[in-house]
Amino acid sequence: MHEFFRVLAIRVSQAIGSLWALVAILAVTISTGAYYDFSNEWKNSVMFYTSIITLLVLVFLQRSQNHGDKATSLKLDELVKSSERARDEVVFAENKTDVAIEELRKGVIDEGIEEQE
């Protein structure tokens, strides 16, 4: 089930990110609006369905983004671990506070300056 949802989230994210999705949504909205003379009932229906679709799209996009972030983090962790000079505290930076991450970043920058000199 998780694999199905992962694949579905990726496909939905790709589909809604295309120009054709925007054109299709605008075409459906304008054509149905014209058909129903842009009545108040039509406006309420559009707002209701727009809210539901927005929530679903948000869930799919978040799932797709989380998957991509995990994969990127894994790749970076592998690169850091393979480096002889890598510091262990940097490997698990995503578990640290913003202040601790900033201190680590400053340490990395300071080391880079010392190496150049």
Side-chain angles (χ1 to χ4, degrees), residues 28-44 46:
V28 167
T29 304
I30 292 170
S31 62
T32 58
Y35 181 77
Y36 290 106
D37 294 325
F38 297 98
S39 66
N40 284 335
E41 184 178 329
W42 173 82
K43 290 176 189 174
N44 289 336
V46 167

Side-chain angles (χ1 to χ4, degrees), residues 13-95:
S13 298
Q14 290 170 344
I16 62 171
S18 70
L19 176 62
W20 294 110
L22 176 63
V23 170
I25 290 169
L26 289 175
V28 167
T29 304
I30 292 170
S31 62
T32 58
Y35 181 77
Y36 290 106
D37 294 325
F38 297 98
S39 66
N40 284 335
E41 184 178 329
W42 173 82
K43 290 176 189 174
N44 289 336
S45 296
V46 167
M47 293 302 291
F48 175 74
Y49 289 117
T50 301
S51 299
I52 291 173
I53 291 170
T54 301
L55 180 62
L56 290 173
V57 166
L58 178 68
V59 169
F60 287 133
L61 288 175
Q62 188 63 45
R63 173 66 171 99
S64 179
Q65 184 69 39
N66 287 345
H67 179 76
D69 288 348
K70 286 179 185 178
T72 301
S73 179
L74 178 63
K75 291 175 185 179
L76 289 173
D77 287 348
E78 187 67 23
L79 288 172
V80 169
K81 288 177 184 177
S82 68
S83 174
E84 292 177 11
R85 296 180 36 219
R87 297 179 297 162
D88 289 336
E89 61 268 14
V90 175
V91 173
F92 301 106
E94 64 271 3
N95 298 331

